[in-house]
Amino acid sequence: MSKKEKTHSKLQMFVLVILIPVIFGVIFFSVILNMIGFDVLGTAKQAASSIPYVSNLMEGDEVDIIESETEGQEVDTTADQNEITLLQQQIAERDAKITELENEVIEMEQRLLVEQELNKNATQELSEIAKTYEAMSAKNAAAIISELQIEEALLHLSQLKTDSRAAILAKMDSAAAADLMSRLTSQ
């Protein structure tokens, strides 16, 4: 055999018999230790950081890792800012809707007050009309109520005292009086 074949075969022997089994053993025991709970990677980094040239390489890797993390955080920050802007727009829209609804409530309250005032005035007017009918003779009041529409006549009669109402109904046509009485009782 020539020298090349001998060196080749010695190199092959070294790789196959020593180097590969050692690498396999290191990986195997690292995995086993990692499963047990021992931080093999952290311990290896600490050991490597004490070696002068390797510690400089490790610091460069850490800077790259930190830079990649900050880039990811910047992307997250941009997404968060977009979400914040969207939520602020939604809040502004809802505030505008709330203001609009509050204005509607104020407007409705004002309408209600106006309607209550009108009802109060109408009630006062009806009581004045009732006093007028009570001051008249029953015959004249019956003649006037007979000429009114049924709803208006019912409204006027409902404001009268019982005695005055009885006297006016007695002077009216019996069919009209019966119709008014049946409607008064159903109110």
Side-chain angles (χ1 to χ4, degrees), residues 135-170:
M136 289 182 182
S137 69
K139 182 179 179 183
N140 290 339
I144 293 172
I145 290 177
S146 296
E147 296 297 320
L148 296 176
Q149 296 208 3
I150 293 180
E151 289 81 22
E152 195 173 354
L154 286 171
L155 189 61
H156 290 191
L157 284 173
S158 66
Q159 297 295 316
L160 293 172
K161 294 179 186 173
T162 308
D163 294 339
S164 299
R165 187 180 322 145
I168 292 171
L169 288 171

Side-chain angles (χ1 to χ4, degrees), residues 1 18 36 40 42-43 49-50 56 61 75-76 85 93 96 133 136 140 157 164 168 182 186:
M1 285 203 209
I18 297 174
I36 293 174
V40 176
T43 307
S49 67
S50 64
N56 290 340
D61 288 343
V75 170
D76 290 343
T85 304
E93 290 172 1
Y133 283 132
M136 289 182 182
N140 290 339
L157 284 173
S164 299
I168 292 171
S182 67
S186 65

